[in-house]
Amino acid sequence: MTEVKAKKFLGQHFLTDENIAERIVESLSPDAQRLLEIGPGMGVLTKYLIKKDGLDFHVVEIDRESVAYLHDHYPTLDVIEGDFLRMDLTALFHGCFSIIGNFPYNISSQILFKVYDNRDNVTEVVGMFQKEVAERVAAKPGNKTYGILSVLLSAFYDIEYLFTVNEHVFNPPPKVKSAVIRLRRNDVKGLECDEKLFVQVVKAGFNQRRKTLRNALRQLNLPLDRISEEILAKRAEQLTVTQFIEITKTIEPCL
Ligand code: SAH
């Protein structure tokens, strides 16, 4: 990157290390057929992805200058100018697809919630987040960083923390370290419980994560007396996905 100034409010931190760019691209399943890259910027990942044969490949970029740069350098590439968060993903591809990116960190959680909402179509996500978010997503029960996104996403995805990336390989360098993670869709079709209630329970549990579930879930006004004392005495961060599903099943017939 030379003449184009990075825009901080768009989370622009351009990756300058080609080895890391290649490592990210290689982390994608070789059998991916359809792919969306979020926030290609100056195309450090794009230039490797575009070489993949037979891949139905699109990029979405919000920044007009980056879009102009991409049009210039990759005239055959489908560059969607716009906001990923506002995209209707089902209209873009006919069939399941993967997502890749060195993501804009200011909207990391929103990207991941959108993946969750589109879990029936998104088979894989490979990407860079700030390290703390990557750790949170990949965290297991009992860990301090285990939270809402870890539970929701691990219900439908196998999540791997791949590697940590130093801040000095970006221009401009972010204040935090980064990390690359991979999410691969598991074969769970549905949770066999009311999935909206499941999300509510998980969110309520973690929104007051220091409290026991008995106290954290009280605000939901649900028949908590159906849940065992043993579970109610625990905190959200101690529960597995399966236990959250069990709780949801226990209370849903009473709604
Ligand atoms: N992938 C590039 C750029 C990463 S910086 C690289 O690794 O060098 C993040 C990029 O996301 C920026 O180009 C920024 O303009 C873009 N971006 C920010 N918000 C976006 C949004 N809501 N939708 C799509 N792109 C976005």
Side-chain angles (χ1 to χ4, degrees):
M1 196 201 70
T2 48
E3 71 280 8
V4 177
K5 270 219 254 103
K7 299 183 186 73
K8 228 178 162 185
F9 60 93
L10 291 178
Q12 288 188 339
H13 296 283
F14 297 105
L15 181 64
T16 54
D17 185 322
E18 295 295 330
N19 290 329
I20 293 176
E22 282 191 280
R23 259 177 100 183
I24 296 173
V25 169
E26 280 162 13
S27 303
L28 192 72
S29 298
D31 55 0
Q33 293 176 358
R34 303 175 201 90
L35 180 68
L36 177 66
E37 183 186 354
I38 303 173
M42 315 299 286
V44 68
L45 302 179
T46 321
K47 65 170 175 287
Y48 297 105
L49 295 166
I50 206 168
K51 288 189 201 147
K52 285 184 179 279
D53 281 336
L55 185 68
D56 180 7
F57 177 45
H58 307 260
V59 305
V60 55
E61 172 57 64
I62 205 168
D63 174 41
R64 195 181 288 168
E65 278 176 71
S66 298
V67 170
Y69 177 94
L70 293 163
H71 278 313
D72 270 4
H73 288 74
Y74 310 100
T76 59
L77 175 68
D78 177 35
V79 183
I80 302 161
E81 180 171 356
D83 180 350
F84 167 73
L85 297 178
R86 290 167 173 267
M87 271 178 87
D88 175 2
L89 296 178
T90 52
L92 180 62
F93 294 106
H94 300 286
C96 294
F97 59 92
S98 305
I99 290 178
I100 196 166
N102 167 15
F103 299 119
Y105 295 170
N106 51 332
I107 57 166
S108 301
S109 300
Q110 292 164 76
I111 291 174
L112 289 162
F113 277 113
K114 185 154 178 156
V115 168
Y116 179 79
D117 289 341
N118 285 274
R119 57 192 177 272
D120 290 338
N121 296 305
V122 179
T123 41
E124 186 177 44
V125 180
V126 170
M128 183 126 65
F129 292 94
Q130 61 269 49
K131 184 166 185 268
E132 182 233 331
V133 171
E135 282 172 346
R136 235 188 306 141
V137 173
K140 301 278 178 271
N143 194 303
K144 272 206 172 62
T145 56
Y146 183 63
I148 297 170
L149 279 168
S150 349
V151 177
L152 299 188
L153 289 167
S154 64
F156 293 98
Y157 290 91
D158 297 330
I159 302 169
E160 296 161 273
Y161 184 100
L162 298 181
F163 56 91
T164 306
V165 181
N166 196 287
E167 55 273 39
H168 304 304
V169 299
F170 296 92
N171 184 8
K175 290 208 174 71
V176 290
K177 292 211 184 307
S178 301
V180 177
I181 54 173
R182 177 166 59 204
L183 284 70
R184 280 188 174 147
R185 190 71 171 83
N186 60 24
D187 49 19
V188 172
K189 296 274 174 290
L191 301 184
E192 289 167 15
C193 70
D194 178 334
E195 291 183 7
K196 284 212 170 101
L197 182 61
F198 167 76
V199 175
Q200 276 187 330
V201 168
V202 173
K203 285 188 173 171
F206 282 103
N207 280 341
Q208 290 173 289
R209 60 184 299 142
R210 281 157 189 264
K211 295 197 174 168
T212 60
L213 283 186
R214 180 184 286 103
N215 290 323
L217 300 186
R218 192 166 280 157
Q219 40 144 335
L220 291 180
N221 234 346
L222 291 165
L224 298 186
D225 52 346
R226 298 208 157 202
I227 304 170
S228 75
E229 283 299 315
E230 194 197 334
I231 294 284
L232 285 175
K234 288 187 192 282
R235 281 173 286 125
E237 67 189 33
Q238 299 172 287
L239 299 188
T240 62
V241 174
T242 314
Q243 286 173 312
F244 274 111
I245 295 171
E246 285 308 317
I247 294 176
T248 310
K249 278 186 189 161
T250 312
I251 52 185
E252 70 189 3
C254 316
L255 292 180

